[in-house]
Amino acid sequence: MSRTILSAFLMGTALAVSPVIAQQPAQAQGPESVADLASGLLGAVVNISTSQSVAEEGDGPLPQVPDGSPFQELFEDFYKNRESGPSNNRVNSLGSGFVIDPTGFIVTNNHVIENADDIEVIFSDGSKLKAKLIGTDTKTDLSVLKVEPPQPLTSVKFGDSRKMRIGDWVMAIGNPFGLGGSVTVGIISASGRNINAGPYDNFIQTDAAINKGNSGGPLFNMSGEVIGINTAIISPSGGSIGIGFAVPTELAQNIVNQLIEFGETRRGWLGVRIQPVSDEVAESMKIGRARGALISGIVEGGPVATGPIQVGDIITSFDGRPISETRDLTRIVAESPIGEPLDVVILRDGKEQTVKVTLGRLENDEVASDETEAETTQEPNEEETAPDGDGQEDPATPPTDQPMPEDPAPDAEEGAGETIAPQDEASAPVTEGLIGVELSNLDDAKRVSFSIAEGVEGVLITRVLPGSKAEGKGLKVGEVIVEVAQEFMKTPKQVAEKLTSIKGEGRRSGYLMIADKDGNLRLVAVPLE
């Protein structure tokens, strides 16, 4: 009994003298602060306020009030201004921008200041200065403004967007919904995005919150360098859903420098028509995987009209920069220096070679269409993609497609020319059953009948069979087969024999150069299986 009491006593004693562990205050956890970084940059980010005069049209006829009515004077006072014609109202908008030079040069988006009669820059300390438009580029939606400050301004520098990786942290500063300087942080979600805003799309995508009013504001890396200009968002609601787009500095910096120096952009021009390299074309040309930009035409009088680029070449590298798809070539050519010999890597007859080209200057939009794709490009999703500025419509337009004839000439008489028809239960000869067209020699009579230009030579398509492989690839009556597998065609028999030969070699498609009635060329790979 005494042992039990002693044990209980000792246990109680032990419990009583055990050490008490003091609780430590909880430590706040979270991502590293960007306060120091932001504080040094806020002074360089500005609000852009614009105003524009808009004519107001009358809403209908004036009400008729009987003479002597007690309301006559009231109505005369209220409507007297309408009788003199339409009045002008002032429409205001807000966007963002940033100072790139202490002397007062400011970068913003074109859609922020487009058609503005008056541009005012509001600085972080509340001071205001009138701004002059130095130059604008609608194709990339960039503009440069100039203010005359009484003392040097806080400015920021461009960084190299090419060094940024998907997942890197970025910070956006701007003027969302007119609230003034606001800071948001996120990461680079993707790069090289094409949202069909213009011919040189190469956007950085970020999940940093960007809203209306952020247009023209900077996207910074964690060193405080501008690596993008916030331009557009995708949003069904009009607010940020974490999908914003910024023009990368690898594209913007050269344009900004040109606008400051010349007041305009001076882009390079190669003078070719291009189209994508499909898997079928890559297989038929034996170049492995589909890559590069396929030359479908040479512009007469252009920089490479006399060589060294030829129709059918595939450009895989331009001035040391890889070409993965057609828009890469369009953008890189535009950015490249004019009048200097540049190295171009091409694939010709399945073999790689390097040639020298010298670019001319892209003068206008008509010339610009010579460098765009010959096949249909995807239309922009107007309901989802929009500028993140004041709600104005994005002035940039998608690349212009090479026009294709929409109203083919009437079919020739049944039996005219040689038929290359679908295989019919083994009843057709081996040389038939290939692509599903009827062909004819292109003589003077048919040239007139189908309104085919004098310079177009080859074999005329007089019928495209419904449901055929040729119809599926867009071949039309009145078009001309110029080449098959880079070999010029003179007769329907040559076309049939060449396609049969290609199929006998185990190729799954035939590589055809097709000309429309005006001589515009495109390259098509038609399945032979």
Side-chain angles (χ1 to χ4, degrees):
M1 186 71 173
S2 60
R3 290 180 179 177
T4 303
I5 295 173
L6 179 63
S7 297
F9 175 77
L10 292 174
M11 289 176 64
T13 303
L15 290 172
V17 299
S18 62
V20 176
I21 301 175
Q23 290 185 345
Q24 299 294 325
Q27 298 292 323
Q29 300 293 325
E32 185 177 353
S33 173
V34 295
D36 291 338
L37 178 64
S39 64
L41 301 174
L42 280 165
V45 182
V46 300
N47 297 344
I48 308 292
S49 175
T50 66
S51 62
Q52 177 183 353
S53 296
V54 178
E56 181 183 278
E57 297 181 358
D59 295 327
L62 300 179
Q64 299 298 314
V65 182
D67 291 340
S69 167
F71 299 103
Q72 183 178 10
E73 185 176 348
L74 172 65
F75 276 103
E76 286 179 350
D77 290 342
F78 188 78
Y79 289 101
K80 63 182 179 180
N81 291 330
R82 292 186 53 186
E83 294 179 350
S84 60
S87 61
N88 288 332
N89 286 337
R90 303 292 292 179
V91 176
N92 299 314
S93 64
L94 291 173
S96 304
F98 56 98
V99 182
I100 60 169
D101 188 284
T103 62
F105 286 105
I106 295 171
V107 175
T108 187
N109 280 142
N110 171 68
H111 73 260
V112 170
I113 54 85
E114 188 177 29
N115 299 323
D117 298 321
D118 186 66
I119 304 173
E120 188 174 56
V121 175
I122 307 170
F123 295 88
S124 58
D125 61 1
S127 60
K128 302 177 181 180
L129 290 174
K130 295 292 183 181
K132 174 185 177 183
L133 178 61
I134 297 299
T136 192
D137 180 46
T138 59
K139 291 184 174 64
T140 55
D141 198 13
L142 295 175
S143 293
V144 175
L145 308 176
K146 182 68 168 65
V147 296
E148 299 298 335
Q151 57 188 12
L153 300 173
T154 301
S155 62
V156 290
K157 296 181 179 180
F158 285 120
D160 189 351
S161 60
R162 292 171 294 187
K163 295 181 179 179
M164 301 300 293
R165 300 180 301 165
I166 295 173
D168 280 345
W169 287 99
V170 289
M171 180 173 67
I173 302 180
N175 177 36
F177 300 105
L179 294 174
S182 297
V183 179
T184 57
V185 176
I187 63 169
I188 291 181
S189 306
S191 60
R193 287 295 197 207
N194 178 16
I195 62 173
N196 289 305
Y200 309 115
D201 279 15
N202 189 34
F203 287 99
I204 294 171
Q205 180 183 328
T206 180
D207 65 352
I210 297 173
N211 290 283
K212 290 183 177 180
N214 276 102
S215 274
L219 187 67
F220 293 103
N221 60 20
M222 291 296 102
S223 297
E225 299 169 328
V226 178
I227 50 90
I229 295 92
N230 300 320
T231 298
I233 60 174
I234 288 182
S235 174
S237 63
S240 173
I241 60 170
I243 305 178
F245 301 98
V247 179
T249 54
E250 65 179 291
L251 174 62
Q253 187 171 5
N254 184 48
I255 291 170
V256 168
N257 291 339
Q258 289 186 13
L259 292 177
I260 293 174
E261 184 176 358
F262 308 113
E264 61 181 358
T265 54
R266 298 187 176 184
R267 293 188 168 95
W269 176 47
L270 186 58
V272 297
R273 297 182 180 92
I274 57 177
Q275 69 180 66
V277 180
S278 63
D279 292 335
E280 294 87 352
V281 168
E283 189 275 335
S284 65
M285 297 183 70
K286 298 182 178 181
I287 64 169
R289 65 179 177 86
R291 64 191 190 280
L294 180 61
I295 305 300
S296 61
I298 306 292
V299 177
E300 184 176 353
V304 294
T306 58
I309 303 294
Q310 300 177 7
V311 172
D313 288 345
I314 296 177
I315 297 179
T316 59
S317 175
F318 194 93
D319 195 24
R321 302 170 66 179
I323 306 297
S324 298
E325 52 186 317
T326 52
R327 68 189 183 97
D328 292 337
L329 181 64
T330 302
R331 186 185 72 255
I332 291 172
V333 166
E335 297 171 2
S336 297
I338 300 168
E340 300 179 12
L342 304 173
D343 287 333
V344 179
V345 179
I346 62 173
L347 290 171
R348 182 181 297 167
D349 299 329
K351 299 179 181 178
E352 186 176 277
Q353 56 182 286
T354 301
V355 297
K356 292 278 189 182
V357 301
T358 301
L359 298 178
R361 181 184 172 188
L362 183 62
E363 296 290 348
N364 50 47
D365 291 339
E366 287 73 26
V367 174
S369 68
D370 293 331
E371 297 239 7
T372 57
E373 300 177 12
E375 295 185 351
T376 304
T377 55
Q378 181 182 359
E379 291 296 323
N381 188 334
E382 296 178 354
E383 296 181 357
E384 294 185 352
T385 306
D388 54 28
D390 51 21
Q392 297 181 26
E393 200 173 306
D394 193 336
T397 55
T400 306
D401 297 328
Q402 286 297 321
M404 297 303 300
E406 297 181 358
D407 299 316
D411 290 352
E413 295 181 0
E414 290 292 328
E418 181 169 341
T419 302
I420 304 179
Q423 191 80 17
D424 184 12
E425 302 294 328
S427 63
V430 178
T431 55
E432 299 180 358
L434 297 176
I435 62 175
V437 294
E438 290 183 0
L439 304 176
S440 173
N441 290 321
L442 182 57
D443 55 27
D444 292 340
K446 289 186 174 62
R447 187 181 297 276
V448 173
S449 175
F450 288 89
S451 302
I452 297 172
E454 285 295 328
V456 179
E457 299 291 344
V459 180
L460 179 66
I461 299 175
T462 56
R463 186 184 179 199
V464 178
L465 300 183
S468 66
K469 299 162 186 174
E471 183 185 55
K473 286 297 181 178
L475 270 63
K476 297 179 176 66
V477 171
E479 293 185 325
V480 175
I481 298 177
V482 180
E483 293 182 0
V484 176
Q486 295 185 308
E487 183 177 321
F488 178 69
M489 296 289 108
K490 295 181 179 180
T491 67
K493 183 178 180 181
Q494 276 186 299
V495 175
E497 290 177 347
K498 188 63 178 180
L499 290 173
T500 302
S501 173
I502 291 172
K503 185 176 182 180
E505 295 172 1
R507 300 195 200 180
R508 293 179 295 177
S509 57
Y511 172 51
L512 281 61
M513 181 188 293
I514 305 297
D516 66 14
K517 64 180 181 179
D518 297 319
N520 296 312
L521 301 173
R522 74 184 194 279
L523 299 168
V524 180
V526 181
L528 299 177
E529 298 179 333

